[in-house]
Amino acid sequence: MSNKNVVPEAKEALNKFKMQAASEVGVNLKNGYNGDLTSKQAGSVGGQMVKKMVESYENSIKNTNG
């Protein structure tokens, strides 16, 4: 499996999404390296991202099923 970006714009959008999720849970992310985060902080950011993706998906289903 390659690590190439198929859609370069997606990387920027995902990075914005990650920064927004981090700010919502009170984690201060920097552009670039964030390897100094604790596991708890990193998990909080990832968890918030998943929560927002699930909410978005649920809303899209509600809107298409009327």
Side-chain angles (χ1 to χ4, degrees):
M1 179 128 182
S2 166
N3 200 15
K4 272 187 180 172
N5 289 329
V6 178
V7 183
E9 299 82 21
K11 184 174 184 179
E12 185 179 330
L14 189 57
N15 199 40
K16 274 186 182 175
F17 180 54
K18 179 174 61 176
M19 293 297 222
Q20 180 184 6
S23 111
E24 289 172 2
V25 294
V27 175
N28 187 21
L29 286 184
K30 303 177 289 276
N31 283 323
Y33 180 75
N34 283 286
D36 53 347
L37 291 180
T38 66
S39 296
K40 182 177 180 178
Q41 290 171 316
S44 294
V45 173
Q48 181 70 2
M49 290 174 73
V50 170
K51 179 181 173 187
K52 291 175 74 66
M53 286 186 270
V54 168
E55 286 173 357
S56 175
Y57 176 73
E58 288 175 343
N59 287 337
S60 73
I61 288 177
K62 287 178 192 170
N63 291 335
T64 50
N65 291 336

